[in-house]
Amino acid sequence: YGGDYTGMNLSGSMVASSFGKLVMKEEPRKGLKEEDLAIALLMMITNNIGQVAYLNAQLHQCTKIFFVGNFLRHNSISCRRLAFAIHFWSKGKMEAIFLKHEGYFGALGTFLQSAFNEIDLNIILSNGYEYNNKNDGS
């Protein structure tokens, strides 16, 4: 893992599942359709996002992974692939969740990150009700 796979003529920097058939050809561009290249790139990017999300969820002991951002807007291929990847890598113990107003929640997360210091933000997100009651003067 991480090195070249000379037996199949694959460099260590290539995602074999997305581009393996291309490097096996003598003339990789011959017969290549732009849409095939586009779907291979989309799958490579989506798999990478899914792997990083899974590893972070595992690190922080989360079972639900919320995906936000405009990359997923009207992108059912990536949503299906991310859901499959999270289910596969977690052996069904984690769930990928996609929000309806994903662009709004990405902006909200950015605002919260910049408006509060890390300690306050962790308190608000973990038990916001208790935080508000402790600081209301009563």
Side-chain angles (χ1 to χ4, degrees), residues 67-137:
F67 289 94
V68 299
N70 291 330
F71 171 72
L72 297 172
R73 182 174 291 168
H74 308 296
N75 189 346
S76 60
I77 294 170
S78 288
C79 290
R80 283 193 312 267
R81 189 64 184 180
L82 285 169
F84 171 81
I86 298 303
H87 181 78
F88 175 81
W89 285 314
S90 71
K91 297 180 174 80
K93 294 179 182 175
M94 293 180 190
E95 180 183 10
I97 299 172
F98 305 93
L99 303 175
K100 184 176 182 178
H101 300 288
E102 75 292 327
Y104 168 77
F105 286 109
L108 182 61
T110 301
F111 165 73
L112 289 172
Q113 188 73 31
S114 64
F116 298 97
N117 67 45
E118 188 174 339
I119 295 169
D120 287 343
L121 186 57
N122 286 336
I123 292 169
I124 291 167
L125 293 176
S126 64
N127 53 7
Y129 181 75
E130 292 176 26
Y131 178 83
N132 289 331
N133 285 338
K134 288 179 185 175
N135 291 309
D136 68 0

Side-chain angles (χ1 to χ4, degrees), residues 21-85:
K21 290 182 180 179
L22 282 179
V23 298
M24 298 303 291
K25 295 180 176 183
E26 285 188 32
E27 296 180 46
R29 290 184 168 220
K30 186 176 180 182
L32 178 66
K33 298 178 188 170
E34 285 187 16
E35 56 267 26
D36 292 339
L37 183 58
I39 194 71
L41 284 169
L42 180 63
M43 295 305 246
M44 181 183 71
I45 292 165
T46 303
N47 283 332
N48 191 2
I49 292 169
Q51 182 70 39
V52 170
Y54 162 73
L55 291 171
N56 274 289
Q58 190 177 37
L59 179 68
H60 295 283
Q61 301 172 348
C62 299
T63 58
K64 295 181 189 295
I65 303 170
F66 292 86
F67 289 94
V68 299
N70 291 330
F71 171 72
L72 297 172
R73 182 174 291 168
H74 308 296
N75 189 346
S76 60
I77 294 170
S78 288
C79 290
R80 283 193 312 267
R81 189 64 184 180
L82 285 169
F84 171 81

Side-chain angles (χ1 to χ4, degrees), residues 1-14:
Y1 179 77
D4 292 346
Y5 187 55
T6 55
M8 295 296 288
N9 196 24
L10 296 173
S11 75
S13 63
M14 183 169 293

